[in-house]
Short mmCIF file of all heavy atoms in Angstrom, two decimals:
data_model
loop_
_atom_site.label_atom_id
_atom_site.label_comp_id
_atom_site.label_asym_id
_atom_site.label_seq_id
_atom_site.Cartn_x
_atom_site.Cartn_y
_atom_site.Cartn_z
N HIS A 1 5.52 -19.28 13.26
CA HIS A 1 5.60 -20.40 12.32
C HIS A 1 6.90 -20.37 11.52
O HIS A 1 7.03 -21.02 10.49
CB HIS A 1 4.40 -20.39 11.37
CG HIS A 1 3.18 -20.99 11.98
ND1 HIS A 1 2.29 -20.27 12.75
CD2 HIS A 1 2.71 -22.26 11.95
CE1 HIS A 1 1.33 -21.06 13.17
NE2 HIS A 1 1.56 -22.28 12.69
N GLY A 2 7.86 -19.58 11.98
CA GLY A 2 9.19 -19.57 11.38
C GLY A 2 9.36 -18.66 10.19
O GLY A 2 10.39 -18.71 9.51
N LYS A 3 8.38 -17.82 9.91
CA LYS A 3 8.49 -16.89 8.78
C LYS A 3 9.23 -15.63 9.21
O LYS A 3 9.18 -15.23 10.37
CB LYS A 3 7.10 -16.50 8.26
CG LYS A 3 6.24 -17.67 7.87
CD LYS A 3 6.82 -18.41 6.70
CE LYS A 3 5.89 -19.55 6.29
NZ LYS A 3 6.44 -20.36 5.23
N HIS A 4 9.92 -15.01 8.29
CA HIS A 4 10.56 -13.72 8.53
C HIS A 4 9.51 -12.65 8.27
O HIS A 4 8.88 -12.65 7.21
CB HIS A 4 11.77 -13.51 7.62
CG HIS A 4 12.88 -14.47 7.89
ND1 HIS A 4 13.80 -14.28 8.88
CD2 HIS A 4 13.18 -15.65 7.31
CE1 HIS A 4 14.64 -15.29 8.89
NE2 HIS A 4 14.29 -16.15 7.94
N VAL A 5 9.35 -11.73 9.22
CA VAL A 5 8.28 -10.75 9.14
C VAL A 5 8.85 -9.34 9.28
O VAL A 5 9.68 -9.09 10.14
CB VAL A 5 7.23 -11.00 10.26
CG1 VAL A 5 6.15 -9.94 10.24
CG2 VAL A 5 6.62 -12.39 10.12
N LEU A 6 8.40 -8.44 8.44
CA LEU A 6 8.71 -7.02 8.55
C LEU A 6 7.39 -6.27 8.58
O LEU A 6 6.61 -6.37 7.65
CB LEU A 6 9.55 -6.54 7.36
CG LEU A 6 9.77 -5.03 7.26
CD1 LEU A 6 10.60 -4.52 8.44
CD2 LEU A 6 10.44 -4.68 5.94
N ILE A 7 7.14 -5.57 9.69
CA ILE A 7 5.93 -4.77 9.81
C ILE A 7 6.32 -3.31 9.68
O ILE A 7 7.18 -2.83 10.41
CB ILE A 7 5.22 -5.03 11.16
CG1 ILE A 7 4.77 -6.49 11.23
CG2 ILE A 7 4.03 -4.09 11.34
CD1 ILE A 7 4.16 -6.88 12.56
N ILE A 8 5.72 -2.61 8.75
CA ILE A 8 6.01 -1.20 8.52
C ILE A 8 4.79 -0.38 8.94
O ILE A 8 3.70 -0.58 8.41
CB ILE A 8 6.37 -0.93 7.05
CG1 ILE A 8 7.60 -1.75 6.66
CG2 ILE A 8 6.60 0.56 6.82
CD1 ILE A 8 7.97 -1.66 5.20
N ASP A 9 4.99 0.52 9.88
CA ASP A 9 3.92 1.38 10.39
C ASP A 9 3.94 2.69 9.61
O ASP A 9 4.82 3.52 9.79
CB ASP A 9 4.14 1.62 11.88
CG ASP A 9 2.99 2.37 12.54
OD1 ASP A 9 1.99 2.64 11.85
OD2 ASP A 9 3.10 2.67 13.74
N CYS A 10 2.97 2.88 8.74
CA CYS A 10 2.89 4.11 7.94
C CYS A 10 1.96 5.15 8.55
O CYS A 10 1.76 6.22 7.98
CB CYS A 10 2.42 3.79 6.53
SG CYS A 10 3.56 2.75 5.61
N ASP A 11 1.39 4.84 9.69
CA ASP A 11 0.46 5.75 10.36
C ASP A 11 1.23 6.82 11.13
O ASP A 11 2.16 6.51 11.87
CB ASP A 11 -0.41 4.93 11.32
CG ASP A 11 -1.49 5.75 12.00
OD1 ASP A 11 -1.63 6.94 11.69
OD2 ASP A 11 -2.19 5.18 12.85
N SER A 12 0.85 8.06 10.97
CA SER A 12 1.56 9.16 11.65
C SER A 12 1.39 9.09 13.17
O SER A 12 2.19 9.65 13.92
CB SER A 12 1.07 10.51 11.13
OG SER A 12 -0.32 10.64 11.35
N GLN A 13 0.36 8.39 13.66
CA GLN A 13 0.17 8.24 15.11
C GLN A 13 1.07 7.16 15.69
O GLN A 13 1.22 7.06 16.91
CB GLN A 13 -1.28 7.94 15.43
CG GLN A 13 -2.20 9.09 15.09
CD GLN A 13 -3.66 8.73 15.32
OE1 GLN A 13 -4.02 7.57 15.39
NE2 GLN A 13 -4.48 9.75 15.44
N ALA A 14 1.65 6.32 14.86
CA ALA A 14 2.60 5.28 15.26
C ALA A 14 2.02 4.28 16.25
O ALA A 14 2.73 3.74 17.08
CB ALA A 14 3.88 5.90 15.79
N SER A 15 0.73 3.98 16.16
CA SER A 15 0.14 3.04 17.10
C SER A 15 0.73 1.63 16.96
O SER A 15 0.90 0.93 17.95
CB SER A 15 -1.37 2.96 16.97
OG SER A 15 -1.86 3.51 15.82
N GLN A 16 1.07 1.25 15.75
CA GLN A 16 1.68 -0.07 15.52
C GLN A 16 3.05 -0.13 16.20
O GLN A 16 3.38 -1.10 16.86
CB GLN A 16 1.85 -0.31 14.02
CG GLN A 16 2.37 -1.67 13.69
CD GLN A 16 1.28 -2.68 13.74
OE1 GLN A 16 0.23 -2.48 13.16
NE2 GLN A 16 1.49 -3.77 14.42
N THR A 17 3.82 0.91 16.06
CA THR A 17 5.15 0.98 16.66
C THR A 17 5.06 0.90 18.17
O THR A 17 5.82 0.17 18.81
CB THR A 17 5.85 2.28 16.22
OG1 THR A 17 5.85 2.34 14.79
CG2 THR A 17 7.27 2.35 16.72
N VAL A 18 4.14 1.62 18.76
CA VAL A 18 3.95 1.60 20.21
C VAL A 18 3.51 0.21 20.67
O VAL A 18 4.04 -0.32 21.65
CB VAL A 18 2.94 2.68 20.65
CG1 VAL A 18 2.60 2.55 22.13
CG2 VAL A 18 3.49 4.08 20.36
N SER A 19 2.59 -0.40 19.94
CA SER A 19 2.08 -1.72 20.36
C SER A 19 3.14 -2.79 20.26
O SER A 19 3.06 -3.81 20.94
CB SER A 19 0.86 -2.11 19.53
OG SER A 19 1.22 -2.46 18.22
N LEU A 20 4.18 -2.57 19.45
CA LEU A 20 5.26 -3.54 19.33
C LEU A 20 6.43 -3.24 20.27
O LEU A 20 7.49 -3.83 20.14
CB LEU A 20 5.74 -3.63 17.88
CG LEU A 20 4.73 -4.28 16.94
CD1 LEU A 20 5.18 -4.15 15.49
CD2 LEU A 20 4.53 -5.75 17.30
N GLY A 21 6.23 -2.30 21.21
CA GLY A 21 7.23 -2.12 22.26
C GLY A 21 8.09 -0.88 22.19
O GLY A 21 9.04 -0.76 22.96
N TRP A 22 7.81 0.06 21.30
CA TRP A 22 8.59 1.31 21.25
C TRP A 22 7.72 2.43 21.81
O TRP A 22 6.95 3.04 21.07
CB TRP A 22 9.00 1.63 19.81
CG TRP A 22 9.97 0.66 19.25
CD1 TRP A 22 9.68 -0.44 18.51
CD2 TRP A 22 11.38 0.67 19.42
NE1 TRP A 22 10.83 -1.10 18.19
CE2 TRP A 22 11.90 -0.44 18.75
CE3 TRP A 22 12.27 1.53 20.08
CZ2 TRP A 22 13.25 -0.74 18.69
CZ3 TRP A 22 13.61 1.22 20.03
CH2 TRP A 22 14.09 0.12 19.35
N PRO A 23 7.81 2.73 23.11
CA PRO A 23 6.92 3.71 23.73
C PRO A 23 7.13 5.15 23.24
O PRO A 23 6.22 5.96 23.33
CB PRO A 23 7.21 3.59 25.22
CG PRO A 23 8.57 2.99 25.30
CD PRO A 23 8.73 2.14 24.07
N GLN A 24 8.29 5.47 22.72
CA GLN A 24 8.58 6.82 22.23
C GLN A 24 8.99 6.76 20.75
O GLN A 24 10.17 6.90 20.42
CB GLN A 24 9.71 7.46 23.06
CG GLN A 24 9.41 7.61 24.53
CD GLN A 24 8.26 8.57 24.78
OE1 GLN A 24 8.07 9.52 24.04
NE2 GLN A 24 7.47 8.30 25.80
N PRO A 25 8.04 6.56 19.84
CA PRO A 25 8.42 6.41 18.43
C PRO A 25 9.09 7.64 17.83
O PRO A 25 9.84 7.52 16.87
CB PRO A 25 7.09 6.11 17.73
CG PRO A 25 6.03 6.50 18.68
CD PRO A 25 6.61 6.43 20.06
N ASP A 26 8.86 8.82 18.41
CA ASP A 26 9.52 10.03 17.90
C ASP A 26 11.02 10.03 18.16
O ASP A 26 11.75 10.82 17.57
CB ASP A 26 8.89 11.28 18.51
CG ASP A 26 7.47 11.51 18.01
OD1 ASP A 26 7.16 11.05 16.90
OD2 ASP A 26 6.69 12.14 18.73
N GLU A 27 11.49 9.15 19.04
CA GLU A 27 12.91 9.10 19.38
C GLU A 27 13.67 8.02 18.61
O GLU A 27 14.86 7.82 18.84
CB GLU A 27 13.06 8.88 20.89
CG GLU A 27 12.52 10.04 21.71
CD GLU A 27 12.59 9.80 23.20
OE1 GLU A 27 13.16 8.77 23.63
OE2 GLU A 27 12.07 10.64 23.95
N LEU A 28 13.02 7.32 17.69
CA LEU A 28 13.71 6.31 16.88
C LEU A 28 14.68 7.00 15.92
O LEU A 28 14.34 8.01 15.30
CB LEU A 28 12.70 5.49 16.07
CG LEU A 28 11.86 4.51 16.87
CD1 LEU A 28 10.74 3.95 16.00
CD2 LEU A 28 12.72 3.38 17.38
N PRO A 29 15.90 6.48 15.78
CA PRO A 29 16.88 7.14 14.92
C PRO A 29 16.53 7.07 13.43
O PRO A 29 16.84 7.97 12.68
CB PRO A 29 18.18 6.40 15.21
CG PRO A 29 17.75 5.07 15.75
CD PRO A 29 16.43 5.29 16.43
N VAL A 30 15.88 5.99 13.00
CA VAL A 30 15.51 5.83 11.60
C VAL A 30 14.02 5.50 11.54
O VAL A 30 13.55 4.60 12.21
CB VAL A 30 16.31 4.70 10.93
CG1 VAL A 30 15.87 4.52 9.49
CG2 VAL A 30 17.80 4.97 11.00
N THR A 31 13.29 6.27 10.75
CA THR A 31 11.87 6.02 10.55
C THR A 31 11.58 6.03 9.06
O THR A 31 12.43 6.42 8.25
CB THR A 31 11.01 7.10 11.24
OG1 THR A 31 11.25 8.35 10.59
CG2 THR A 31 11.31 7.21 12.72
N LEU A 32 10.38 5.64 8.70
CA LEU A 32 9.99 5.67 7.29
C LEU A 32 10.06 7.12 6.77
O LEU A 32 10.52 7.36 5.66
CB LEU A 32 8.57 5.12 7.13
CG LEU A 32 8.02 5.02 5.72
CD1 LEU A 32 8.91 4.15 4.84
CD2 LEU A 32 6.62 4.46 5.74
#
């Protein structure tokens, strides 16, 4: 609907991150 969205995954299992297309969340250069 044209809104700017920021989703922050605070879960240590990173299920949100994985579901949004990052299969290896431990390899992200910047995390929370």
Side-chain angles (χ1 to χ4, degrees):
H1 279 87
K3 304 295 182 184
H4 295 276
V5 177
L6 171 65
I7 297 175
I8 300 175
D9 187 4
C10 296
D11 184 4
S12 59
Q13 294 176 341
S15 15
Q16 185 80 50
T17 305
V18 172
S19 73
L20 290 172
W22 293 94
Q24 299 296 328
D26 291 335
E27 296 177 5
L28 288 170
V30 178
T31 66
L32 183 58

